[in-house]
């Protein structure tokens, strides 16, 4: 979804990058500032602004401000966050599995262990799409061409090590193509990937469903497969497992707090996040974007991130990306 259209869909979202005013006179906590480590309009940005709306509507914040700092699978934004927001109990960082992939593959001089884990919010599964005028009509057609000439199929998606990159590599491996021969072109956001696909610069695109939903619905793109365990509601596209490909991967997203906040401050943020996640405003956004609710907080979330980091490293090795 383009950023301008998403802004119009959220009443009360100021053009200056902030939301203000709790809905229906609900009591509010103080303001919060969310660093989104990606360009405007992509999955992290959409999730952050949707959850910001829920924080307002639930009374978890009197205002929510957003800063976008994209690049390097979110690790540039992570570095800015840990270096500038230390001990700030009003600071939040949007993050997720893509950032773990960026840390593993890019080996930046910054670590998630420097920030404070708060909560996992939701999982978004990837969809692979073709432009409406593509000579290929299905994933089977595309994979037949990939087997015939791997260099002729250009895959567009998020950063290297992203869930769609891993999924594409695992698909290639499953059909007997060396993943290192995969022609994967990373883009900084869903808007760039969409433009590249519709402009004929890539053969097939992969991203979260929310980033391609508008183009799928208006007929400019055709969804050919999803990485979820079951088909996504309202989308006529088979799972990769239905197609005989043993690939299932989700792009979860969550929030971290600043380094050095106290246990009490951490719990306060978690309480506000939980209230927002239970609010109808967030539930409506989950339905709208076909996101799967996945709330997990505190130490359980911290352990999940550690386990996911180790699991993702093994998956990247299996996919030939490390």
């Amino acid at each position: 979804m383009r950023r301008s259209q998403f802004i119009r869909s959220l009443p009360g979202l100021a053009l200056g990058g902030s939301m203000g005013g709790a809905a229906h006179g609900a009591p509010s906590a103080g303001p919060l500032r969310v660093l989104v480590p990606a360009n405007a309009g992509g999955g992290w940005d959409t999730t952050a602004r949707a959850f910001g709306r829920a924080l307002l509507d639930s009374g978890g914040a009197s205002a929510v401000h957003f800063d976008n700092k994209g690049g390097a699978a979110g690790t540039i934004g992570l570095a800015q966050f840990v270096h500038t927001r230390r001990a700030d109990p009003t600071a939040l960082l949007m993050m997720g599995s893509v950032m773990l992939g960026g840390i593993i593959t890019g080996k930046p001089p910054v670590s998630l262990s420097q920030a404070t884990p708060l909560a996992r919010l939701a999982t978004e599964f990837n969809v692979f799409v073709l432009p409406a005028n593509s000579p290929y009509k299905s994933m089977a057609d595309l994979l037949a061409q990939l087997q015939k000439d791997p260099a002729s199929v250009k895959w567009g998606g998020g950063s290297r090590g992203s869930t769609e990159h891993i999924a594409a590599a695992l698909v290639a491996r499953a059909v007997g193509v060396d993943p290192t021969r995969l022609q994967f072109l990373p883009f900084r956001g869903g808007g760039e990937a969409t433009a590249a696909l519709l402009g004929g610069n890539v053969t097939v695109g992969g991203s979260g469903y929310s980033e391609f939903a508008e183009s799928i619905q208006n007929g400019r793109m055709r969804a050919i497969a999803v990485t979820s365990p079951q088909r996504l509601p309202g989308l006529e596209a088979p799972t990769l497992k239905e197609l005989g490909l043993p690939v299932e991967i989700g792009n979860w997203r969550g929030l971290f707090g600043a380094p050095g906040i106290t246990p009490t401050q951490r719990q306060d943020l978690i309480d506000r996040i939980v209230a927002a996640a239970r609010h109808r405003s967030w539930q409506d956004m989950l339905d709208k974007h076909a996101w799967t609710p996945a709330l997990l907080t505190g130490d359980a979330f911290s352990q999940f991130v550690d386990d996911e980091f180790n699991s993702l490293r093994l998956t990247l090795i299996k996919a030939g990306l490390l």
Side-chain angles (χ1 to χ4, degrees):
M1 181 179 287
R2 294 183 185 276
R3 181 171 182 261
S4 60
Q5 293 165 328
F6 187 70
I7 288 172
R8 288 197 296 273
S9 75
L10 290 177
L13 175 56
L15 293 178
S18 65
M19 299 178 184
H24 310 303
S28 298
L32 295 172
R33 181 170 291 276
V34 183
L35 192 147
V36 183
N39 292 348
W44 272 338
D45 189 61
T46 302
T47 305
R49 292 172 190 273
F51 200 73
R53 180 77 266 169
L55 282 164
L56 291 176
D57 291 345
S58 65
S62 58
V64 183
H65 307 281
F66 301 91
D67 300 306
N68 289 82
K69 186 67 175 180
T75 58
I76 292 176
L78 171 62
Q80 177 174 307
F81 183 77
V82 300
H83 292 145
T84 65
R85 305 311 298 267
R86 180 166 184 80
D88 183 350
T90 70
L92 296 174
L93 171 72
M94 175 58 60
M95 53 75 66
S97 55
V98 171
M99 184 177 285
L100 300 191
I103 292 171
I104 294 168
T105 59
K107 300 178 181 178
V110 65
S111 168
L112 267 172
S113 64
Q114 295 171 260
T116 304
L118 298 175
R120 185 183 65 191
L121 300 177
T123 297
E124 181 172 35
F125 292 98
N126 295 127
V127 57
F128 286 109
V129 296
L130 298 170
N133 61 358
S134 172
Y136 312 111
K137 304 304 179 187
S138 66
M139 180 61 85
D141 291 345
L142 185 77
L143 295 182
Q145 181 61 29
L146 181 70
Q147 290 172 305
K148 179 181 177 182
D149 181 8
S152 69
V153 178
K154 294 182 173 60
W155 302 72
S159 58
R160 295 190 182 279
S162 62
T163 51
E164 58 266 31
H165 186 197
I166 295 169
L170 290 174
V171 165
R173 187 173 183 269
V175 297
V177 175
D178 183 349
T180 63
R181 299 183 66 192
L182 197 72
Q183 301 296 307
F184 184 84
L185 303 178
F187 295 95
R188 291 178 296 179
E192 286 188 6
T194 295
L197 185 66
L198 296 178
N201 297 315
V202 296
T203 311
V204 55
S207 191
Y209 172 66
S210 64
E211 298 193 33
F212 290 148
E214 181 185 0
S215 295
I216 293 171
Q217 292 163 7
N218 66 24
R220 293 191 298 167
M221 292 182 183
R222 181 188 311 113
I224 58 172
V226 292
T227 65
S228 52
Q230 293 89 31
R231 293 194 180 200
L232 297 180
L235 183 64
E236 290 300 318
T239 68
L240 290 171
K241 286 191 171 182
E242 282 183 68
L243 301 175
L245 303 165
V247 179
E248 177 187 318
I249 188 169
N251 182 12
W252 57 268
R253 299 187 181 115
L255 292 168
F256 268 54
I261 59 174
T262 68
T264 299
Q265 290 168 335
R266 181 195 190 201
Q267 189 59 52
D268 174 65
L269 288 172
I270 290 173
D271 291 345
R272 293 157 78 175
I273 289 168
V274 169
R278 291 173 176 167
H279 196 275
R280 183 64 193 177
S281 175
W282 179 242
Q283 300 302 314
D284 288 344
M285 284 296 172
L286 293 173
D287 293 341
K288 177 179 179 178
H289 296 294
W291 295 335
T292 301
L295 185 64
L296 186 69
T297 64
D299 292 342
F301 174 55
S302 180
Q303 185 61 55
F304 167 81
V305 172
D306 289 343
D307 293 344
E308 188 77 354
F309 188 89
N310 293 328
S311 175
L312 186 57
R313 181 187 292 278
L314 292 176
T315 300
L316 285 164
I317 293 171
K318 178 181 176 182
L321 301 178
L322 274 185

